[in-house]
Amino acid sequence: MGILSPTLPDIDLSEWRKLPQLERLRIQVQHWGANGFGTPPGAYLFYFVKMAAYVLLPLWIISISTPGIGELSDIGSWWTEPIVFQKVVIFTILFEVCGFGCGSGPLTMRFFPPVGGFTYWLRPGTIRLAPWPGKVPLTGGETRTIVDVVLYAALLGILVWGLVSDGVGDVGDAGMIAPAVPIAIVVALALVGLRDKAIFLSARSDQYLVMAIAFLFPCIDMIIALKLIMVAVWWGAASSKLNHHFPFVVSVMISNSPFVGGPWVKKKLYRNYPEDMRPSLFAKIAAHQGTVIEFVMPAILIFSTNSILTTVILIGLTIFHLFILSTFPAGVPLEWNLFVIGAAWFLFFNYTDSTYSIWNATTPWPYLIAVALIAGIVIGDIKPQAISFLTGMRYYAGNWATNTWLMRPGLEERMEAEITKSAPMTKHQLLKLYDEDTSEFMMQKFSAWRSMHSHGRAHMGLIPRAVPDREDYVVREGEFMAGSLIGWNFGEGHLHNEQLATAVHRRLNLQDGDLRLVMIEAQPVHNGDQKYVIFDAASGVVEEGTVTVSDLIERQPWLDTTGTVPVHVTSQRADAPASRTVASPSARDPRP
């Protein structure tokens, strides 16, 4: 096996392609359970190099560009300087907003090139998605213009300026970042984000932008605010995992790890591998153990003024995040886990004494930031359709907006030929490495990955309600459509929903039935249902309704023999594939 050869099941792939879609999916689900995606060994080298660059490059830049900071070899004497943390945050924003961080590389099916990001956002004519195009003036349209390119380039320039700028004031030996820098970053990100939400989200504004705002505070208040932000991230992520979805995430994520256990251990994550691929008790315990860690350890950390206790907790959190990193989650938030480890040690190990207690802020601003973050979490839990899952801090929860794209054969090739992009469609990237059968197997493997999650059962079960015959359509995971068409994807279903499908239609002049989306919104915290919409890119909404989570978690990813899931239909077009007279807006329809 070569370093670029994926791990495949021992089957004839040409014969596999002739099987019905749900039978193909079953084979892939069972293969994932013991082998994960089957990632080529060489793919991991890309990420190790990238993580090393993320750690070493900013420290080297800081050491050569910041008066009062010594050489890189003397890092032990200056890593505690406040300006060092500030510049690491600025570098991280730059790293992410260029596309080098989350959602990059071969594990997210980016091969040639391995990043999207700046290659799209510096190119006029590519697709952009404004968050409120009909409400915010001067943000309408969906095509990147020279104005968008200039705004994005200005953001990059501001981040480079902040990274190499001198400190001001008498804090420590090197001062702190001048207030003009975070102000410029906030303004630039806001302007760019109003034109293209993908860029705003790619900067991981849910965390790093908030930290940049905290740089405007006096040093003590800044440290307190940064501590509160860190705890909000941990607690927000932990609270979002109190659901039925998270055990599915854990079993699928650990199955994909190249370092955690072997096939025997991975099979124990499922009730009865390979016939019953629901999460086992072992997977559920592992999931809830992680949730407890994210609640309890930060709670101790935020109140601790004992250096020994703080150190013990920091070691525990370091192990926790290294474990997450070792699983190589599908969105590869690897640098984020490295950042969290470094930030925890910087903020809580260096500033343990009572001076930096969360009760000792000199202004109300640190507390207002904490309230704003909590508000985002609450809104995300109650109205997940209103904000990004990142702002709602539902990072690993398994409770996200998700989409499946159903395309008539040939449409993918039209997207490749007729839509302005900076990288080929994912399938065409794979064809540069593998034959047709292998490439198609790898593309469909991610639909199988989606089906292994609780909401993924609904995606597979709603396909017969979207199109007359699932076998006549190419089924694609929405994540990779976004990755190819807009240059970034990181689990945010609001980036590949009807807005992107409509943009595709306007470029390709599609006919009814050429492209249909099964769109499922995250589950609100106060009820057990998830809303779904079946949307046709050319003709609009086909059907709307809800699915019940308790119905989904009891099914296998391949839906047993039914091929469908029970639904509550709330509206339906007369020509919908599953159309019939609905007794009431909440009538339950168990049919395909």
Side-chain angles (χ1 to χ4, degrees):
M1 177 183 293
I3 63 171
L4 295 181
S5 299
T7 301
L8 299 172
D10 187 18
I11 58 174
D12 184 331
L13 293 184
S14 63
E15 293 300 317
W16 168 83
R17 293 187 69 181
K18 298 176 184 178
L19 296 172
Q21 189 251 338
L22 290 177
E23 290 186 32
R24 297 196 305 270
L25 183 141
R26 178 172 183 158
I27 291 171
Q28 292 187 309
V29 165
Q30 292 170 335
H31 184 255
W32 187 292
N35 302 277
F37 180 53
T39 306
Y44 296 108
L45 178 61
F46 170 83
Y47 292 100
F48 284 117
V49 171
K50 190 163 67 80
M51 285 189 286
Y54 171 73
V55 172
L56 297 175
L57 188 57
L59 296 177
W60 175 73
I61 294 173
I62 292 168
S63 70
I64 65 172
S65 67
T66 312
I69 296 295
E71 296 180 357
L72 184 58
S73 58
D74 298 324
I75 187 173
S77 66
W78 53 261
W79 76 280
T80 59
E81 292 284 331
I83 196 172
V84 173
F85 183 83
Q86 291 179 313
K87 288 195 171 188
V88 167
V89 170
I90 292 171
F91 177 85
T92 302
I93 298 174
L94 179 63
F95 192 84
E96 294 283 358
V97 85
C98 282
F100 291 112
C102 302
S104 65
L107 290 180
T108 58
M109 304 289 271
R110 296 186 191 279
F111 299 96
F112 307 108
V115 298
F118 73 95
T119 68
Y120 280 74
W121 302 332
L122 289 174
R123 181 173 183 173
T126 53
I127 297 174
R128 67 172 179 86
L129 302 175
W132 304 289
K135 298 179 180 179
V136 178
L138 304 179
T139 66
E142 58 207 14
T143 300
R144 197 171 315 282
T145 68
I146 191 65
V147 172
D148 297 296
V149 171
V150 170
L151 284 173
Y152 176 67
L155 171 62
L156 300 184
I158 289 168
L159 291 167
V160 171
W161 165 52
L163 186 60
V164 300
S165 63
D166 296 348
V168 298
D170 57 358
V171 176
D173 295 328
M176 292 174 60
I177 290 289
V181 173
I183 291 173
I185 291 173
V186 171
V187 171
L189 260 177
L191 291 175
V192 171
L194 288 172
R195 295 281 296 178
D196 192 340
K197 59 187 176 183
I199 300 178
F200 184 83
L201 294 174
S202 76
R204 296 303 307 274
S205 301
D206 52 298
Q207 296 179 39
Y208 305 131
L209 178 61
V210 182
M211 290 183 175
I213 294 173
F215 295 168
L216 295 169
F217 306 162
C219 184
I220 291 178
D221 287 11
M222 180 188 76
I223 297 299
I224 293 172
L226 293 172
K227 286 183 175 183
L228 291 172
I229 292 167
M230 292 289 295
V231 173
V233 170
W234 278 314
W235 282 353
S239 62
S240 73
K241 296 170 183 174
L242 299 175
N243 58 45
H244 293 295
H245 308 278
F246 187 48
F248 292 82
V249 175
V250 168
S251 59
V252 175
M253 184 172 70
I254 296 178
S255 289
N256 192 43
S257 172
F259 304 113
V260 179
W264 182 86
V265 174
K266 292 176 180 179
K267 291 176 182 179
K268 293 297 182 183
L269 295 166
Y270 305 95
R271 291 191 187 182
N272 184 26
Y273 178 91
E275 297 304 320
D276 189 342
M277 296 295 289
R278 292 172 293 176
S280 65
L281 179 62
F282 173 53
K284 292 179 180 180
I285 291 173
H288 295 309
Q289 183 180 40
T291 305
V292 170
I293 288 172
E294 278 192 305
F295 270 128
V296 174
M297 286 192 173
I300 297 172
L301 205 57
I302 194 67
F303 296 113
S304 173
T305 57
N306 182 288
S307 60
I308 296 176
L309 177 60
T310 296
T311 301
V312 170
I313 297 299
L314 286 171
I315 291 172
L317 283 169
T318 298
I319 294 171
F320 174 72
H321 282 281
L322 286 175
F323 172 79
I324 296 174
L325 190 150
S326 72
T327 65
F328 283 81
V332 288
L334 308 178
E335 289 79 17
W336 175 77
N337 279 282
L338 292 175
F339 175 85
V340 170
I341 292 170
W345 282 93
F346 178 88
L347 294 169
F348 295 98
F349 184 77
N350 288 332
Y351 300 97
T352 303
D353 64 80
S354 58
T355 303
Y356 298 95
S357 165
I358 61 169
W359 313 116
N360 287 343
T362 62
T363 70
W365 292 112
Y367 311 121
L368 292 176
I369 274 189
V371 170
L373 291 175
I374 293 171
I377 295 169
V378 172
I379 294 171
D381 283 340
I382 296 175
K383 291 189 174 183
Q385 73 277 11
I387 62 174
S388 167
F389 88 105
L390 296 171
T391 308
M393 296 188 183
R394 287 176 281 114
Y395 303 123
Y396 294 94
N399 186 23
W400 315 298
T402 50
N403 308 302
T404 293
W405 287 40
L406 308 171
M407 301 179 288
R408 282 189 172 136
L411 182 55
E412 208 165 13
E413 287 69 28
R414 287 193 63 195
M415 293 179 187
E416 172 64 18
E418 301 177 38
I419 294 180
T420 301
K421 307 177 298 300
S422 293
M425 298 298 292
T426 304
K427 173 71 175 289
H428 289 77
Q429 293 187 42
L430 285 168
L431 287 171
K432 295 181 179 181
L433 291 169
Y434 310 111
D435 59 65
E436 171 69 28
D437 290 339
T438 302
S439 298
E440 188 59 33
F441 183 88
M442 294 176 72
M443 287 298 297
Q444 294 188 33
K445 191 71 174 286
F446 274 99
S447 292
W449 167 82
R450 178 64 69 194
S451 75
M452 295 178 76
H453 294 81
S454 51
H455 54 262
R457 272 79 162 167
H459 279 280
M460 295 302 111
L462 288 167
I463 289 177
R465 308 190 72 86
V467 296
D469 189 342
R470 69 168 78 227
E471 308 305 333
D472 293 338
Y473 279 76
V474 176
V475 180
R476 293 289 186 247
E477 165 59 39
E479 284 290 306
F480 300 105
M481 304 309 297
S484 297
L485 293 170
I486 65 174
W488 190 76
N489 59 289
F490 181 57
E492 179 48 87
H494 298 156
L495 290 178
H496 41 88
N497 57 10
E498 70 274 13
Q499 187 180 11
L500 180 56
T502 301
V504 170
H505 163 58
R506 287 174 179 159
R507 284 157 172 76
L508 302 184
N509 191 27
L510 302 176
Q511 301 300 309
D512 182 68
D514 284 349
L515 171 60
R516 287 194 170 173
L517 274 61
V518 174
M519 306 186 301
I520 301 178
E521 189 50 80
Q523 177 193 358
V525 70
H526 57 283
N527 69 51
D529 296 334
Q530 291 182 259
K531 292 182 180 179
Y532 75 85
V533 176
I534 297 171
F535 181 83
D536 187 283
S539 58
V541 174
V542 175
E543 181 176 294
E544 294 180 285
T546 62
V547 292
T548 302
V549 173
S550 60
D551 288 332
L552 305 178
I553 61 177
E554 290 305 316
R555 283 168 164 73
Q556 299 301 323
W558 51 86
L559 304 179
D560 305 303
T561 59
T562 65
T564 186
V565 293
V567 302
H568 289 82
V569 179
T570 55
S571 68
Q572 188 181 66
R573 262 175 25 188
D575 63 344
S579 62
R580 69 179 182 88
T581 301
V582 179
S584 70
S586 62
R588 191 182 188 90
D589 183 1
R591 304 179 315 131

